[in-house]
Amino acid sequence: MPLGERGGWDKSESRYCGVETEFEDDVPRLLSSNISSGGFDFVVAPLMDPAYRPSLLEVGIDSSHVLPFAGSDLVLTPAQWSSHVVGKISSWIDLDSEDEILRRDSETTLKQEIAWAAHLSLQACLLPSPKGASCANYARCVNQIVQGLSNMQLWLRIPLLKSDDDSLDVDSDHVMDSWELWNSFRLICEHHSQLCLVLDILSTLPSANSIGRWFGEPVRAAIIHTDSFLTNARGYPCLSKRHQKLITGFFNHSVQMVISGKPVHGIPGATTGAAANHIDDNVNNMQRHPLRSYLDYVGYLYQRMEPLSEQDRIELGYRDFLQAPLQPLMDNLEAQTYETFEKDSVKYIQYQRAICKALLDRVPDGEASTLTTVLMVVGAGRGPLVRASLQAAEETGRKLKVYAVEKNPNAVVTLHSLVKLEGWENIVTIVSCDMRLWNAPEKADILVSELLGSFGDNELSPECLDGAQRFLKQDGISIPSSYTSFIQPITASKLYNDVKSHKDIVHFETAYVVKMHSIAKLAPSKPVFTFNHPDYSTEKSNQRYKKLQFVIPRDTGSAIVHGFAGYFDATLYKDVHLGIEPSMATPNMFSWFAIFFPLRKPICVQPGSPLEVHFWRCCGSSKVWYEWCVTSPCPSPIHNSNGRSYWVGL
């Protein structure tokens, strides 16, 4: 039974907890004792008798032998096999052994067991951890197999291990950083989307930075051994604060827990569920599962997590889903798009605050009743900024004359009905025109726009405001007054695989808007391009170039960079800002997700070595585009040269 519910919306895979078992001929009994009466949701069970070795079979000319699998496929229904059993491949196999007989036996057995698991329609098989630092033959064999699988995933077991000792012995076969083992295995298998991993959680954990890398990897489950549990004052199993934090992080990333090992806690008395302070009546009258108290504790950790906010729940379906950025100049937005953005009350509260401050600075109290401020909303859409401006005027007691300029004729229809409905006919003038082409009848005191994209300037705010600047008074105010883009290197296996699935360069040279979730942020973000408005400089150009250097913290260990996350931060007016850069993001605002710039070939960065990145913003007569590349630790090609794959049309 699932660990709990965090509300009726909770469909997370991490609700399910499994148990690692020994080989058992009687599979129905195995399921009955661990699932029906034990309370677990699935078993991780060996499929073949561990004593089996192909080379030990005496094969005669006409002899046939039955492989020693755990029961026939008929002992469970296909649905039971699929939902309750993860196949555990024999742990003795060693495909990189110096012993040729063992190596051949291992290869044969691996193929036989996975073929059987595929026949049973299992969702996944657990592959044993590589025996040493060299795993080329094992990875080659797995790569061959995974090419032929339809839906089944292969989960490679990797211990969560990283020594803090930097003096690595290159000749040693001892694994100092298990991420290196996973990375070499995954690179040999070309980032195959069905190759995932399972982490073995040990009693000691590496640094937080080192653990952080794994959240950008395809971790499907975490196996926690009974040895890793501490004992609380009442004699029950519990976990250290760091282990609790790690497991909560896994829960938030749809990682399932698996409990493994023999019970090492002598549970006092025979009451049920005391570890989690809840009683499960189903197990009162039957033999209690020896690992039940560990399961109860994991369930307790799951149930005490904070429920997701309403915003997080709305965004669940967008997590790690690639979307093409808007082209608001080339295309007219649809009503549904307008409606989504208009629901973002936090954004418009910030705009209203900025307009209030600008009006108070612009008009002294003594002239409030006589002086009328001319305010132009350029890119008015369906009117949310017009409403925010008029509310600011009311709040400050200032008189306002508003021009609402909008190029989308469909949105203009809505604007007219809004003005009529609200009785703003004497205050608001609607202009159906592209702001770059409009000849204004008078100059504005304040110019208000919401033309920002996820990367700040990627929806052509600079070009639009340059065109509109001619009808702003020399001492006029632009809201926003400036904005800066930021990037940071990330590990993002899922995003990389989703881009790779298109099998072309175009998708690797496109920037995507993404609600990023299963990523690892490898270094703090750094500013890229800044634009100020109004800009009266004589040598004005919207082309930009920036070279950036990131240093990944040494205690992280090696890491793989799949691309860059991009953000922005904008100053609306004076101290009123708006943005999505993680360290200073505006809380509870959902109009913008981050942007993702992929790399055609992921780049491995060693501890302490710098990552050097170059970004260009290029302008042509009909389009604006970005180009990017890495030059250190190893050079990458220039991405999106001449805007051949991705651009924003003027």
Side-chain angles (χ1 to χ4, degrees):
M1 53 187 274
L3 295 173
E5 290 280 335
R6 295 164 71 197
W9 49 268
D10 187 0
K11 300 289 183 283
S12 168
E13 293 289 310
S14 55
R15 287 183 303 153
Y16 304 110
C17 186
V19 60
E20 186 174 11
T21 70
E22 299 294 330
F23 177 76
E24 169 66 79
D25 261 327
D26 189 343
V27 180
R29 187 174 72 186
L30 185 74
L31 260 58
S32 172
S33 61
N34 287 289
I35 295 173
S36 307
S37 56
F40 290 94
D41 297 296
F42 62 94
V43 295
V44 180
L47 299 174
M48 186 179 272
D49 188 326
Y52 165 72
R53 301 289 185 278
S55 59
L56 298 180
L57 292 174
E58 293 181 16
V59 182
I61 294 169
D62 59 348
S63 72
S64 62
H65 58 270
V66 177
L67 295 173
F69 289 123
S72 120
D73 52 358
L74 299 174
V75 298
L76 299 179
T77 66
Q80 285 176 311
W81 280 115
S82 176
S83 58
H84 294 311
V85 179
V86 170
K88 182 183 169 189
I89 303 303
S90 294
S91 55
W92 59 264
I93 68 167
D94 182 359
L95 281 88
D96 291 277
S97 171
E98 297 291 322
D99 181 332
E100 191 167 343
I101 293 172
L102 173 57
R103 192 171 72 243
R104 279 201 208 138
D105 274 359
S106 299
E107 195 163 323
T108 303
T109 305
L110 177 67
K111 289 179 176 173
Q112 288 170 338
E113 292 188 33
I114 290 178
W116 178 246
H119 171 70
L120 297 175
S121 300
L122 299 192
Q123 288 190 39
C125 274
L126 180 65
L127 303 173
S129 188
K131 296 289 187 286
S134 171
C135 59
N137 191 49
Y138 187 6
R140 179 198 70 92
C141 199
V142 166
N143 194 40
Q144 277 186 342
I145 293 166
V146 82
Q147 307 291 342
L149 293 178
S150 51
N151 294 314
M152 189 169 73
Q153 292 183 343
L154 299 183
W155 294 355
L156 183 66
R157 188 171 191 160
I158 296 285
L160 182 57
L161 181 73
K162 182 187 176 293
S163 164
D164 290 331
D165 181 12
D166 283 332
S167 56
L168 299 182
D169 180 358
V170 290
D171 298 322
S172 166
D173 214 26
H174 181 60
V175 178
M176 306 299 279
D177 180 357
S178 59
W179 183 88
E180 299 266 17
L181 192 60
W182 154 250
N183 190 48
S184 60
F185 201 102
R186 161 264 293 286
L187 289 175
I188 292 170
C189 294
E190 296 183 289
H191 269 80
H192 199 287
S193 59
Q194 282 162 268
L195 176 66
C196 305
L197 75 143
V198 169
L199 289 173
D200 253 319
I201 310 299
L202 310 176
S203 52
T204 56
L205 294 176
S207 72
N209 281 333
S210 173
I211 288 172
R213 295 176 295 179
W214 296 102
F215 286 101
E217 303 288 8
V219 182
R220 292 291 172 264
I223 299 175
I224 185 152
H225 202 275
T226 50
D227 288 348
S228 299
F229 285 81
L230 307 173
T231 309
N232 69 11
R234 300 170 61 195
Y236 284 94
C238 64
L239 288 167
S240 73
K241 286 277 192 287
R242 287 197 67 210
H243 280 83
Q244 291 177 39
K245 186 178 177 185
L246 174 64
I247 287 173
T248 303
F250 283 149
F251 285 150
N252 281 322
H253 285 78
S254 298
V255 175
Q256 299 178 334
M257 299 305 300
V258 176
I259 293 169
S260 174
K262 300 267 189 289
V264 291
H265 292 73
I267 307 300
T271 58
T272 48
N277 298 318
H278 69 271
I279 303 297
D280 184 346
D281 295 328
N282 293 334
V283 293
N284 272 343
N285 303 317
M286 59 181 76
Q287 180 61 43
R288 184 171 160 75
H289 192 288
L291 299 180
R292 181 65 197 226
S293 53
Y294 301 92
L295 171 63
D296 284 341
Y297 182 78
V298 171
Y300 158 70
L301 292 181
Y302 187 86
Q303 288 163 28
R304 76 169 194 181
M305 280 198 302
E306 289 288 318
L308 288 182
S309 67
E310 186 182 356
Q311 183 184 336
D312 282 336
R313 274 181 272 164
I314 291 167
E315 293 174 354
L316 266 178
Y318 294 100
R319 281 182 177 177
D320 299 317
F321 177 73
L322 300 172
Q323 301 177 71
L326 294 172
Q327 293 265 14
L329 277 190
M330 279 171 49
D331 308 330
N332 287 325
L333 301 184
E334 296 171 356
Q336 192 174 356
T337 309
Y338 282 121
E339 186 174 7
T340 302
F341 293 140
E342 288 163 8
K343 284 179 178 170
D344 195 345
S345 58
V346 172
K347 174 175 67 176
Y348 295 112
I349 288 167
Q350 291 297 89
Y351 266 100
Q352 190 173 324
R353 283 184 59 217
I355 296 165
C356 281
K357 291 197 172 201
L359 286 172
L360 291 171
D361 284 354
R362 197 86 187 155
V363 181
D365 288 344
E367 297 177 46
S369 58
T370 55
L371 203 60
T372 300
T373 303
V374 177
L375 182 145
M376 293 180 181
V377 177
V378 288
R382 303 196 308 182
L385 282 181
V386 174
R387 186 183 295 278
S389 302
L390 293 172
Q391 285 171 342
E394 191 176 341
E395 188 182 325
T396 55
R398 297 315 192 248
K399 294 175 77 175
L400 210 55
K401 180 179 182 183
V402 176
Y403 288 91
V405 185
E406 176 52 52
K407 73 170 181 64
N408 181 352
N410 305 310
V412 168
V413 174
T414 314
L415 267 176
H416 275 290
S417 61
L418 174 70
V419 167
K420 194 172 180 183
L421 182 71
E422 297 286 353
W424 294 338
E425 288 96 340
N426 297 328
I427 312 168
V428 178
T429 303
I430 296 169
V431 180
S432 181
C433 185
D434 187 320
M435 69 184 83
R436 295 170 296 175
L437 307 174
W438 181 46
N439 288 315
E442 58 184 316
K443 294 214 167 188
D445 297 287
I446 301 174
L447 196 64
V448 183
S449 63
E450 52 170 333
L451 305 165
L452 298 171
S454 299
F455 201 50
D457 57 81
N458 63 302
E459 291 183 12
L460 306 191
S461 178
E463 285 69 24
C464 291
L465 292 180
D466 286 350
Q469 185 176 297
R470 69 186 190 283
F471 45 75
L472 181 66
K473 290 178 183 174
Q474 194 68 28
D475 63 341
I477 295 166
S478 171
I479 297 176
S481 61
S482 71
Y483 38 89
T484 300
S485 52
F486 294 81
I487 62 161
Q488 74 180 145
I490 59 170
T491 298
S493 286
K494 182 185 184 303
L495 300 184
Y496 173 79
N497 270 332
D498 287 351
V499 176
K500 184 163 83 78
S501 68
H502 293 283
K503 297 184 167 71
D504 62 24
I505 284 182
V506 170
H507 285 83
F508 273 116
E509 297 190 335
T510 298
Y512 300 92
V513 172
V514 188
K515 172 61 183 172
M516 293 185 179
H517 184 64
S518 294
I519 66 162
K521 297 171 180 177
L522 300 173
S525 69
K526 291 194 169 186
V528 192
F529 308 133
T530 297
F531 290 88
N532 296 290
H533 300 286
D535 179 4
Y536 293 114
S537 59
T538 50
E539 299 294 313
K540 188 162 64 174
S541 166
N542 290 330
Q543 300 217 126
R544 297 283 190 277
Y545 164 58
K546 188 69 175 270
K547 178 172 80 172
L548 296 150
Q549 197 172 78
F550 296 93
V551 177
I552 293 167
R554 183 167 281 280
D555 68 336
T556 300
S558 301
I560 193 164
V561 179
H562 290 113
F564 300 90
Y567 317 99
F568 79 91
D569 190 75
T571 299
L572 293 182
Y573 183 68
K574 291 193 168 174
D575 62 343
V576 183
H577 93 109
L578 190 76
I580 59 169
E581 194 283 321
S583 68
M584 50 187 171
T586 309
N588 304 316
M589 190 175 65
F590 57 82
S591 283
W592 296 274
F593 293 155
I595 202 163
F596 175 55
F597 293 94
L599 287 173
R600 279 158 55 180
K601 186 181 179 194
I603 287 182
C604 288
V605 184
Q606 299 302 315
S609 73
L611 172 70
E612 194 170 87
V613 191
H614 303 255
F615 260 77
W616 293 263
R617 186 183 197 268
C618 308
C619 303
S621 57
S622 61
K623 66 183 184 181
V624 172
W625 69 96
Y626 300 102
E627 297 180 13
W628 61 98
C629 78
V630 171
T631 49
S632 175
C634 56
S636 76
I638 289 276
H639 289 60
N640 197 34
S641 180
N642 283 323
R644 64 186 174 192
S645 301
Y646 157 68
W647 71 91
V648 191
L650 284 163

